[in-house]
């Protein structure tokens, strides 16, 4: 079984909301920083948000700051990404990631990846 499994993607009208979830299995991720990346067609994979292993610090790309909220529930080994005020440019495949101890906004510097979940925002 994949260590990270995303869910919650779908299609939504611009201005709407979606919540993505990432369930970790096979090991505990309480000592991992967790993150979300996304990749739109024809574009490079980009950082969206991250949360420290303790949950005490969060980080966001400028493009989503104020609209997206990342949170984690270590007891349930899950991470969520609440996405509000969605825009068509948010359309992408969203990936959950884990990196031991400290976050990285570099997609090449992650320890684990999920398989991705599609988010489509239509106007």
């Amino acid at each position: 079984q994949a260590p990270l499994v995303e869910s919650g993607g779908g299609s939504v009208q611009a201005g709407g909301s979606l919540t993505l979830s990432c369930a970790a299995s096979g090991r505990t991720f309480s000592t991992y920083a967790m993150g979300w990346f996304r990749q739109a067609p024809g574009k490079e994979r980009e950082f969206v948000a991250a949360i420290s292993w303790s949950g005490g610090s969060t980080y966001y790309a400028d493009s989503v700051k104020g609209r997206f909220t990342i949170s984690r529930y270590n007891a349930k080994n899950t991470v969520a990404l609440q996405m509000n005020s969605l825009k068509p440019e948010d359309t992408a495949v969203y990936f959950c990631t884990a990196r031991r101890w400290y976050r990285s906004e570099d997609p090449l510097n992650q320890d684990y990846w999920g398989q991705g979940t599609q988010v489509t925002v239509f106007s």
Side-chain angles (χ1 to χ4, degrees):
Q1 185 176 359
L4 301 174
V5 178
E6 302 94 337
S7 61
S11 295
V12 63
Q13 193 169 18
S17 299
L18 280 175
T19 300
L20 304 183
S21 295
C22 173
S25 64
R27 66 185 305 134
T28 179
F29 283 89
S30 60
T31 57
Y32 284 72
M34 303 296 291
W36 289 92
F37 286 73
R38 66 186 181 187
Q39 187 166 21
K43 295 188 176 182
E44 293 185 351
R45 199 165 290 190
E46 64 175 4
F47 168 77
V48 175
I51 187 166
S52 63
W53 65 268
S54 67
S57 298
T58 55
Y59 311 88
Y60 299 94
D62 288 343
S63 59
V64 307
K65 201 170 294 183
R67 300 188 297 122
F68 290 12
T69 302
I70 188 171
S71 54
R72 68 185 298 161
Y73 308 94
N74 283 346
K76 296 184 178 181
N77 233 16
T78 59
V79 177
L81 184 69
Q82 173 69 42
M83 304 185 295
N84 298 326
S85 302
L86 283 161
K87 305 175 181 179
E89 51 264 43
D90 293 319
T91 294
V93 177
Y94 284 70
F95 298 90
C96 177
T97 68
R99 185 176 188 276
R100 188 72 189 273
W101 291 121
Y102 303 111
R103 91 187 192 285
S104 172
E105 298 180 11
D106 182 352
L108 299 179
N109 199 13
Q110 307 297 316
D111 294 326
Y112 296 95
W113 286 84
Q115 83 289 351
T117 185
Q118 176 70 46
V119 171
T120 302
V121 184
F122 56 91
S123 55

